[in-house]
Amino acid sequence: MPTYTVTVATGSQWFAGTDDYVYLSLEGTAGCSERHLLDKPFYNDFERGAVDSYDVTVEEDLGEIQLIKIEKRKYWYQDDWYLKHVTVKTPLGDYLEFPCYRWITDEKEVVLRDGRAKLPRDDKTQILKQHRRKELEDRQKMYRWKEWHPGFPLSIDAHCHSELPRDIQFDNEKGIDFILNYSKAMENLYINRFMHMFQSSWSDFADFEKIFVRISNTISEYVMQHWKEDFMFGYQFLNGCNPVLIRRCTEIPKKLPVTMDMVECSLERNLTLEEEVKQGNIFIVDYELLDGVDANKTDPCTIQYLAAPICLLYKNLENKIVPIAIQLGQKPGPENPIFLPSDATYDWLLAKIWVRSSDFHIHQTVTHLLRTHLVSEVFSIAMFRQLPAVHPLFKLLVPHMRFTIAINTKAREQLICECGLFDKANATGGGGHVQMVQKAMKDLTYSSLCFPEDIKAKGMDSKEDIPYYYYRDDGIRVWEAIKSFAEDVIQIYYESDEVVCEDVELQAFVKDIYMYGMRGMKASGFPKVIKTREKLAEYLTVIIFTTSAQHAAVNFGQYDWCSWIPNAPPTMRCPPPTEKGTVTIEQIVESLPDRGRSCWHLGAVWALSQFQDNELFLGMYPDEHFVEKPVKEAMAKFRKNLDEIVSAITERNKNKKLPYYYLSPNRIPNSVAV
């Protein structure tokens, strides 16, 4: 009588094991086995991290094993079980791997296919076609689209983390409790003692050090020491935590009536302003999106203010980017003066502080929330709805979707909801952040997520002209490594462009993203269909780069660059100045956040800058969804390419006072999970 040896691996997460009844049956091309009891209560099999083996004897050979069925029946109380994978050794000595990497909940039967990736066209038997179709039908019932706010990308239909499908929840919900984490951060930073003075102002700039000194690091301390300098102000547009707004200025906009007389003393090449523009030495950052956004009114005791500045910058003879003109509003006029480096010290300093505050708002709500978190959630939901576990693109993408829907759901529950934590310290709280996302959607285009294309569109692609733009340099290296990996995987499964066109599941995935993520907006430039392997490689690179590298670049530097409050004020308590020559140090300190809001802000940027426990970084794929040797070789090549990038970045950063490491692959988590 033929005997099949079944080996079952349980996950290592806390509470991953089970004391329920567990049954298994095998289904092959020549027949099905009976249901075999593998485990029952108190047998102590399927404990956390365990690997257990069983012999399953059948009367006749089952032929080629196509499916295995795992069934869990409750013994006493609901006991979820995390099943990593099952391996079956056939009577002929062949080994078949059946990946699972899912929680088995309730009293359900889970049907698994072997680990070889298959496109829809590869399934010839009715049983495999039916299994594929049933999996997607079940998933589409669990992963439903929902509009959180009008004009937003659609998100998951769940009010709270506990309503999510078990497979995408955090292992430990306390680990992503924003209220707990922010409070813990403030306690660890020894700043909670200031919270009883919530609305009182600091005395002077040095007073901010009371909440800073104990936690200084290399970059944040350098920022504290040099934040007033024009060099530091300009440098952050290239390599700070929001290095995405600066663009080469091809024409001075009419709404910024800067004259040669105003900036002549800032120009170093004996050229006119127009000539400097033509030579590509002038850059611009425009915060027009903030114009008309309502400032936070949730605290009647503290009036808060926003501005929509325009900042003109100049590449000097040392190739440093420095500011040469700042207008704090969008409409020129007597009450909206253009501030200059030649103005009184405090006039110029306050103008720069207003730009830094505006930059913080755009960073948090557009660069970070919309363009990484919300977009990545769209990719995740579409993947679960349209790609079955056997599809090679599901296997490729699923590590890059880890915990993304969970962290966003928790954020909607606690952080960016009405009366959430975001309202406590941010001038765009109380609804302003919602207005910003709605306005920013018009600029959320497919081409803007294609990293090299976006850099080029902003005129920032020349290493020779702009030599110290490390965000660009490292980003392009990582982009190319990801794209090469995607191309390698595509070559394995798609032998021609025709195969891409015929993949109905891929096309449904792409359509879901266009219809629900981009709300069917033609102007977004998101493709409705993908017809070539080349375009598919680019599309997959956009997804993986956005969920890993882009998020890392704009998230994990938040403490470095925003912990010194005057360099990134989350709110301003006095309106922007409307005339020159009146600003005092006292006025600046009164404008900056009070003690309580400063503490909330510091706790937030600290918590958001921390990696998850047991973080998985780019190229780390411990869950073996793929079993084929060619894909594993492609993964090894990918890791080698990433290691070379790490080495190059490490070498460049040696002895730098301001090292840039946010796009070093060993610091890029696989997914948006914080």
Side-chain angles (χ1 to χ4, degrees):
M1 296 174 69
T3 299
Y4 294 80
T5 302
V6 177
T7 303
V8 182
T10 296
S12 58
Q13 297 95 325
W14 288 104
F15 311 117
T18 184
D19 279 321
D20 288 341
Y21 293 94
V22 176
Y23 300 88
L24 175 137
S25 57
L26 305 172
E27 189 161 345
T29 53
C32 304
S33 74
E34 294 181 355
R35 194 175 70 156
H36 288 259
L37 176 64
L38 298 187
D39 185 45
K40 56 185 178 180
F42 310 116
Y43 266 47
N44 294 322
D45 287 352
F46 303 146
E47 296 295 303
R48 181 170 71 95
V51 177
D52 303 291
S53 293
Y54 308 87
D55 286 338
V56 176
T57 301
V58 297
E59 293 188 2
E60 295 182 2
D61 188 89
L62 302 176
E64 181 183 348
I65 302 299
Q66 294 189 303
L67 302 172
I68 63 172
K69 297 180 180 179
I70 302 283
E71 189 179 348
K72 185 172 72 68
R73 293 296 172 188
K74 183 170 68 175
Y75 165 63
W76 186 252
Y77 61 92
Q78 187 56 51
D79 191 18
D80 296 348
W81 175 38
Y82 189 84
L83 174 59
K84 289 174 66 178
H85 56 79
V86 177
T87 303
V88 176
K89 180 184 177 184
T90 71
L92 296 177
D94 297 326
Y95 285 87
L96 300 174
E97 295 180 51
F98 293 80
C100 182
Y101 302 106
R102 290 161 54 190
W103 287 95
I104 300 179
T105 61
D106 305 322
E107 296 187 275
K108 290 182 179 176
E109 178 184 77
V110 173
V111 183
L112 303 177
R113 288 184 58 162
D114 78 84
R116 292 170 296 177
K118 301 289 185 184
L119 297 174
R121 69 195 291 254
D122 298 325
D123 285 344
K124 306 302 183 186
T125 65
Q126 195 59 37
I127 188 172
L128 293 181
K129 290 179 181 179
Q130 184 180 354
H131 173 262
R132 194 174 196 121
R133 186 167 56 249
K134 176 73 162 54
E135 181 183 4
L136 289 181
E137 287 173 356
D138 290 345
R139 291 240 214 98
Q140 286 165 12
K141 292 174 184 175
M142 286 194 294
Y143 296 86
R144 301 174 306 277
W145 296 103
K146 178 183 177 182
E147 182 181 71
W148 188 52
H149 282 295
F152 273 50
L154 295 194
S155 50
I156 196 73
D157 184 7
H159 292 97
C160 58
H161 181 267
S162 60
E163 288 184 7
L164 295 174
R166 182 69 177 89
D167 288 329
I168 61 169
Q169 291 181 23
F170 277 97
D171 298 332
N172 177 8
E173 191 175 348
K174 286 185 179 179
I176 45 97
D177 186 306
F178 287 106
I179 297 172
L180 184 66
N181 287 350
Y182 285 17
S183 300
K184 189 192 303 181
M186 287 189 285
E187 183 179 337
N188 291 343
L189 303 175
Y190 295 93
I191 56 176
N192 50 355
R193 65 188 190 279
F194 293 102
M195 290 303 291
H196 70 284
M197 302 181 285
F198 197 85
Q199 289 165 329
S200 62
S201 297
W202 301 94
S203 304
D204 50 36
F205 292 140
D207 208 14
F208 283 96
E209 292 184 44
K210 291 179 180 177
I211 61 168
F212 179 84
V213 175
R214 296 186 69 97
I215 48 169
S216 60
N217 64 20
T218 305
I219 292 179
S220 62
E221 190 159 316
Y222 195 88
V223 171
M224 178 183 73
Q225 294 166 352
H226 298 278
W227 71 281
K228 295 179 185 178
E229 298 170 20
D230 287 354
F231 152 72
M232 175 59 75
F233 179 87
Y235 179 86
Q236 292 177 75
F237 289 113
L238 299 178
N239 301 311
C241 61
N242 193 29
V244 304
L245 298 183
I246 189 169
R247 60 175 61 243
R248 200 184 291 271
C249 182
T250 55
E251 182 183 6
I252 304 294
K254 291 181 180 178
K255 63 182 180 179
L256 181 65
V258 175
T259 65
M260 179 62 183
D261 288 344
M262 291 180 183
V263 298
E264 186 173 11
C265 61
S266 296
L267 307 181
E268 299 179 354
R269 293 179 176 84
N270 294 319
L271 301 173
T272 66
L273 179 59
E274 288 72 20
E275 290 169 338
E276 294 278 18
V277 169
K278 286 179 182 176
Q279 287 207 5
N281 297 322
I282 303 296
F283 300 83
I284 193 166
V285 180
D286 189 348
Y287 297 93
E288 183 180 14
L289 186 130
L290 282 163
D291 193 32
V293 171
D294 295 327
N296 193 337
K297 295 182 176 64
T298 59
D299 180 1
C301 298
T302 302
I303 301 175
Q304 301 177 58
Y305 296 90
L306 292 168
I310 310 169
C311 182
L312 210 61
L313 300 120
Y314 175 63
K315 185 185 73 173
N316 64 21
L317 290 174
E318 296 179 332
N319 284 323
K320 292 179 179 177
I321 304 291
V322 292
I324 58 172
I326 294 171
Q327 183 176 284
L328 295 180
Q330 292 288 307
K331 295 178 182 177
E335 294 189 348
N336 188 17
I338 296 174
F339 292 92
L340 308 165
S342 55
D343 290 340
T345 300
Y346 290 137
D347 282 4
W348 181 235
L349 182 60
L350 182 56
K352 289 192 293 182
I353 289 172
W354 267 105
V355 172
R356 292 297 310 141
S357 182
S358 300
D359 195 79
F360 175 81
H361 297 311
I362 296 289
H363 166 260
Q364 286 289 3
T365 302
V366 179
T367 308
H368 184 209
L369 173 62
L370 172 60
R371 297 180 67 89
T372 64
H373 277 260
L374 300 184
V375 169
S376 296
E377 183 174 2
V378 166
F379 298 149
S380 299
I381 298 170
M383 181 197 72
F384 282 113
R385 285 175 54 82
Q386 303 299 349
L387 298 177
V390 72
H391 199 291
L393 299 188
F394 178 90
K395 293 172 181 283
L396 176 68
L397 294 177
V398 70
H400 302 288
M401 309 300 165
R402 179 175 180 252
F403 298 146
T404 297
I405 298 174
I407 195 70
N408 285 3
T409 302
K410 200 70 178 178
R412 286 187 288 269
E413 194 181 342
Q414 293 184 327
L415 187 61
I416 55 175
C417 55
E418 189 175 350
C419 302
L421 293 178
F422 193 82
D423 290 354
K424 287 186 178 293
N426 294 281
T428 51
H433 60 303
V434 174
Q435 296 172 353
M436 290 173 68
V437 170
Q438 291 166 334
K439 293 174 74 172
M441 278 295 287
K442 73 179 191 309
D443 296 318
L444 179 58
T445 62
Y446 178 76
S447 62
S448 73
L449 296 179
C450 293
F451 189 85
E453 195 174 332
D454 185 54
I455 292 288
K456 189 172 183 178
K458 291 171 180 169
M460 301 295 293
D461 52 316
S462 173
K463 289 187 180 183
E464 189 176 300
D465 287 351
I466 314 163
Y468 304 122
Y469 198 11
Y470 305 127
Y471 164 74
R472 170 202 62 205
D473 299 342
D474 298 352
I476 287 175
R477 284 174 175 169
V478 174
W479 173 275
E480 292 300 332
I482 293 171
K483 189 176 181 186
S484 176
F485 176 46
E487 288 169 344
D488 288 344
V489 174
I490 288 167
Q491 291 294 328
I492 295 167
Y493 297 103
Y494 295 90
E495 62 199 43
S496 67
D497 292 344
E498 185 181 8
V499 178
V500 173
C501 293
E502 291 175 354
D503 185 348
V504 293
E505 290 167 350
L506 162 63
Q507 303 304 338
F509 169 63
V510 171
K511 185 178 179 182
D512 243 29
I513 290 171
Y514 172 74
M515 288 300 299
Y516 298 104
M518 296 305 111
R519 311 299 296 267
M521 294 189 298
K522 191 175 181 181
S524 73
F526 268 76
K528 300 178 188 177
V529 296
I530 289 182
K531 298 180 179 179
T532 67
R533 291 185 293 178
E534 182 182 6
K535 193 66 177 177
L536 177 57
E538 180 188 77
Y539 196 84
L540 295 173
T541 305
V542 165
I543 293 173
I544 297 173
F545 186 88
T546 301
T547 57
S548 59
Q550 187 60 26
H551 178 256
V554 303
N555 181 72
F556 293 104
Q558 290 190 72
Y559 177 73
D560 289 345
W561 296 99
C562 302
S563 57
W564 179 245
I565 305 293
N567 189 58
T571 189
M572 297 290 276
R573 297 178 297 147
C574 296
T578 55
E579 58 181 324
K580 295 187 182 185
T582 62
V583 178
T584 63
I585 180 67
E586 290 78 17
Q587 183 181 341
I588 294 177
V589 173
E590 282 297 319
S591 296
L592 289 169
D594 54 47
R595 293 170 186 253
R597 287 179 175 83
S598 297
C599 294
W600 269 111
H601 168 82
L602 200 57
V605 298
W606 170 263
L608 290 171
S609 299
Q610 306 306 305
F611 293 123
Q612 286 284 342
D613 291 339
N614 304 315
E615 190 69 83
L616 296 175
F617 295 98
L618 194 59
M620 293 171 58
Y621 302 118
D623 291 355
E624 295 189 57
H625 292 277
F626 283 109
V627 300
E628 297 96 324
K629 185 178 178 182
V631 189
K632 293 187 176 182
E633 289 172 348
M635 287 178 175
K637 175 186 166 187
F638 182 38
R639 283 190 289 270
K640 183 175 181 293
N641 290 340
L642 295 175
D643 289 342
E644 290 172 359
I645 296 171
V646 171
S647 297
I649 292 173
T650 303
E651 184 63 30
R652 181 199 64 208
N653 283 337
K654 278 183 179 177
N655 303 318
K656 277 195 179 298
K657 292 178 181 176
L658 282 174
Y660 187 81
Y661 43 68
Y662 308 115
L663 282 168
S664 184
N666 60 342
R667 290 172 175 256
I668 299 175
N670 267 333
S671 62
V672 176
V674 66

